[in-house]
Amino acid sequence: MTAAFLDAAAAVVGAENVSRTDDVDDYLDAYALGEPRKFLPGGAVRPADTAEVQAVVRLANEFGVAVWPIGRGKNLGYGGSAPRQSGTVILDLGRMNSVLHVDEETAYAIVEPGVSFFDLFDDLRRRGSRLWASVPDLGWGSVVGNALERGYGYTAHGDHQQFVCGMEVVLPTGELIRTGMGALPGSETWALYRGGFGPGFEGLFLQSNLGIVTKMGVWLMPRPERFAACRIAVDSEEALPQLVDAMRELKLDGTIDGVVNAANAVGIAAGMAPRERWYSGDGVVPPDVARVIADDLGLGMWNVKCALYGSDALLDVKLEKLQRTIDAIPGSRVVVNRYDGDTDPAAVEPGDHFAAGIPGMLLAGGVRWRANGPTGAHIGLCPVSPLTGTHVARASKLMRDHIEAAGFDYIGGWLATGRHAINVLMIFFDAADPVESEKVRRAFAELVPILAAHGYGEYRAHIEFMDLVAEQFSWNDSSLLEFNRTLKRALDPNGILAPGKQGVWP
Ligand code: ADP
């Protein structure tokens, strides 16, 4: 069936844009836990435009072959390009990589699904635009894929899902819709007003297997007059709750504009050099070595970076408030770099790029922490908790105790927009070592229900754990999962779109 489907798809997209079942190495999970071919794509199809996506989706229905859309396939740590169910054909949207429109006045862009953060940045520079996009840690992923997966960057627009407005979507049957105001022919406000007329459906296509997004509106941030990249450090683990509470207040009262990003000292070190630079003993990095690492790199045990925007006068006021709030935490310090909004990106310190949405690959080295070679890998466990010191410290301790007992360093962090924390546990491991991979799998599988029992659910999950995470959302006889299944049956009767994504099976 798959071979016949790929033949038919080749007639639509061209034979050179189809990869056969024996030629899918580019679409494997680069950071697989153990067996790299466990989630094996059945092939790949690379359409050039929306009409080709529709035609391929119709063929998928006809041949009963499932497809799994990807933008740039860099969702590493969550499965990369690989599908949840082996045999699913990758629908690689990477050729659809145009920035279709940039509106300087009302500050938005409409992008295709293959546009990377580097592409959007370069496009805006080329146009001489006054607009900034927010970027995640690594710039090679797609603007659309990252927003659909509810990813984060660090400017004032860093909560990416919140800045999506207007989608064009190919439904699992091949039909095409535009959401909200986009349904009005000649609409002037598709990417400006979220409401439309009637229910809003954009949320339906986030982390979803109900549609393929072929165009998306994304709100951009007018370049500020000045910006400040701030770094806050606290010298002890014990100061974590106070730091969290301080950041919450500074977010809720509007002092800090950007998404708050916190990391422990070992976590930042991992992005800079392999572990043996500091420690090559048995077991996890002990607390005294963690302290040496922090001192060596001029870090605290916990470290926050965040961005503020405005005129100098406004920044003076905000930074005075921030300094005063942080000064109340024993063993704390603040370092601030200010820039003009129109500073040439080359003149912004690499460590401050996050504040100006300058894309890079600075943190890609983290995977070499335990495996200083090509087989270094990572997986992320990200429970969501309230943004209070008590909760973040609890989530952190649960994850630290468990992962250290399994023999892995606690690489921890949290992201905050005001009310909740995305508590990130980054596990670095050697994908070539089956014993190590198995330990990661076991620790991860044990932690998910432990965290759920404390009221913390994951916001995102590797394909390996999608079912396990989905199972935790079981309130009222799993009525939400049942609702998801009802929608899936109605919109995708043949079950051809991304089966198993987020635990939703046809
Ligand atoms: P990135 O481009 O950041 O590398 P991916 O391409 O791997 O991210 O996309 C991440 C996930 O988001 C995919 O596995 C898929 O489930 C979903 N996704 C990506 N692009 C689309 C799209 N255009 N429509 C629907 N889902 C998508």
Side-chain angles (χ1 to χ4, degrees), residues 29 39 68 78-80 82-84 461-467:
D29 176 8
F39 300 100
W68 180 275
Y78 299 102
R84 173 66 187 86
H462 186 275
I463 45 177
E464 177 96 33
F465 299 107
M466 281 178 177
D467 286 320

Side-chain angles (χ1 to χ4, degrees), residues 361-429:
M361 295 297 292
L362 206 57
L363 296 179
V367 292
R368 291 196 298 272
W369 182 243
R370 278 176 78 103
N372 196 5
T375 57
H378 69 75
I379 185 168
L381 177 68
C382 303
V384 184
S385 78
L387 186 60
T388 68
T390 310
H391 280 291
V392 172
R394 182 179 301 152
S396 167
K397 181 166 169 26
L398 287 167
M399 295 196 284
R400 175 194 286 276
D401 289 352
H402 206 87
I403 207 64
E404 288 189 347
F408 297 89
D409 297 319
Y410 172 63
I411 309 266
W414 36 277
L415 296 167
T417 57
R419 291 179 172 80
H420 66 268
I422 308 279
N423 298 276
V424 182
L425 169 65
M426 202 49 114
I427 310 171
F428 291 117
F429 65 101

Side-chain angles (χ1 to χ4, degrees), residues 16 70 72 76 84 151 160 178 188 200 202 211 231 242-243 255 268 311 369 376 452 466:
E16 68 284 12
I70 60 162
R72 307 247 31 118
L76 304 182
R84 173 66 187 86
H160 292 161
R178 288 188 174 181
E188 294 284 357
E202 280 157 12
R231 257 156 244 284
Q242 253 185 297
L243 177 65
T255 301
I268 295 180
S311 62
W369 182 243
M466 281 178 177

Side-chain angles (χ1 to χ4, degrees), residues 476-494:
N476 193 22
D477 288 335
S478 301
S479 53
L480 182 64
L481 193 54
E482 226 15 85
F483 178 65
N484 269 307
R485 290 184 183 132
T486 302
L487 291 174
K488 184 71 177 159
R489 276 191 295 272
L491 297 181
D492 187 8
N494 296 319

Side-chain angles (χ1 to χ4, degrees), residues 413-453:
W414 36 277
L415 296 167
T417 57
R419 291 179 172 80
H420 66 268
I422 308 279
N423 298 276
V424 182
L425 169 65
M426 202 49 114
I427 310 171
F428 291 117
F429 65 101
D430 185 347
D433 180 341
V435 177
E436 201 164 281
S437 297
E438 185 48 36
K439 280 188 194 161
V440 175
R441 182 205 320 283
R442 194 167 333 121
F444 202 113
E446 288 164 357
L447 263 170
V448 169
I450 291 174
L451 292 161

Side-chain angles (χ1 to χ4, degrees), residues 68-75 80-81 93 113 140-142 144-146 148-149 205 208 211-214 501:
W68 180 275
I70 60 162
R72 307 247 31 118
K74 300 297 185 191
N75 200 22
S81 307
L93 304 169
W140 59 358
S142 68
V144 171
N146 187 278
L148 295 183
E149 288 292 288
F205 302 109
S208 154
I212 299 162
V213 175
T214 49
K501 182 164 172 67

Side-chain angles (χ1 to χ4, degrees), residues 108-111 163-168 190-191 215-219:
Y108 71 88
I110 294 187
V111 296
F163 294 90
V164 170
C165 184
M167 289 177 179
E168 178 183 272
W190 183 26
K215 292 183 179 66
M216 189 186 87
V218 52
W219 288 347

